[in-house]
Amino acid sequence: MSTVDKMLIKGIRSFDPENKNVITFFKPLTLIVGPNGAGKTTIIECLKLSCTGELPPNARSGHSFIHDPKVSGETETKGQIKLRFKTAAGRDVVCIRSFQLTQKASKMEYKAIESVLQTINPHSGEKVCLSYRCADMDREIPALMGVSKAILENVIFVHQDEANWPLQDPSTLKKKFDDIFSATRYTKALEVIKKLHKDQAQEIKTYKLKLENLQTLKDAAYTVTFFY
């Protein structure tokens, strides 16, 4: 079973970009408490972003997710989330995602600048870092955890603003459940199996006709040979 161990947050929401804020997750239960605005929701948002690559619903394309550079009198802020977790196979992995928010002349510009997976070489004990494109990283983390992205997004790290999704309209609800239970994947697999069955049935029918034709030719040849 995969577990999260520690997370470092810098420059995200109200977390200062100059300080390393480390949260340790205890087993079997960790309670996060604090007054409004302390950053409790931000911790869940960072967990979700680390594992799935999905920004929270009120992040304005990342502009309000990274610490505002104007607050510190700067033109640029860099944010980072480091998540250390154990994979489903029991290996220690660190996921590092880095971001940048820059104040341009007329607008803010958000950019994801780094996605890295850090592991330990079991033979040498040295750290091994692998850089990924964001899309590849978003697929890799759920695979390492042994949990689908849909479950991470909609069940484990669901945002409080989206927690009422079971009350949404039927079509949205169906899509959510299809994603969570991978129903679409199984439906597609069944379609492929049906197509293969149909194609093979047609091949068998063709071979039977060829066999009947060969049998007719054989009987004709046998008759001619017997006559002579």
Side-chain angles (χ1 to χ4, degrees), residues 29-183:
L29 180 67
T30 299
L31 297 177
I32 302 173
V33 297
N36 290 342
K40 302 184 296 297
T41 302
T42 303
I43 293 171
I44 305 301
E45 291 173 345
C46 289
L47 283 168
K48 180 178 178 179
L49 179 59
S50 293
C51 297
T52 68
E54 293 295 324
L55 285 164
N58 54 352
R60 291 175 40 239
S61 301
H63 292 177
S64 64
F65 186 65
I66 308 303
H67 191 82
D68 192 341
K70 296 195 291 292
V71 172
S72 18
E74 304 288 342
T75 57
E76 181 180 280
T77 297
K78 288 186 178 178
Q80 188 178 72
I81 306 169
K82 285 186 180 181
L83 178 66
R84 190 176 77 188
F85 65 95
K86 284 192 182 298
T87 67
R91 292 173 53 213
D92 286 317
V93 174
V94 177
C95 161
I96 305 170
R97 293 186 188 257
S98 301
F99 314 92
Q100 181 177 289
L101 186 63
T102 307
Q103 175 65 62
K104 299 291 187 180
S106 59
K107 63 176 183 177
M108 287 279 196
E109 184 180 272
Y110 163 84
K111 186 186 297 182
I113 56 176
E114 187 182 39
S115 296
V116 174
L117 275 183
Q118 189 180 87
T119 59
I120 303 295
N121 187 313
H123 304 293
S124 64
E126 296 179 349
K127 289 183 179 179
V128 179
C129 295
L130 299 173
S131 295
Y132 287 83
R133 293 185 307 167
C134 290
D136 295 336
M137 184 85 139
D138 298 347
R139 288 191 294 269
E140 187 70 17
I141 301 297
L144 288 171
M145 288 186 156
V147 183
S148 73
K149 184 178 177 182
I151 290 176
L152 289 169
E153 284 181 6
N154 301 304
V155 181
I156 299 175
F157 300 132
V158 63
H159 194 276
Q160 61 186 22
D161 291 349
E162 298 177 325
N164 65 342
W165 65 261
L167 305 177
Q168 291 180 330
D169 62 275
S171 61
T172 303
L173 193 59
K174 181 183 181 303
K175 185 180 183 308
K176 291 277 190 184
F177 276 117
D178 284 349
D179 291 341
I180 290 171
F181 295 107
S182 302

Side-chain angles (χ1 to χ4, degrees), residues 206-223:
T206 302
Y207 283 128
K208 279 183 176 179
L209 290 172
K210 287 182 178 179
L211 185 60
E212 289 175 4
N213 185 49
L214 288 172
Q215 185 64 46
T216 302
L217 293 174
K218 179 186 174 184
D219 292 344
Y222 180 78
T223 302

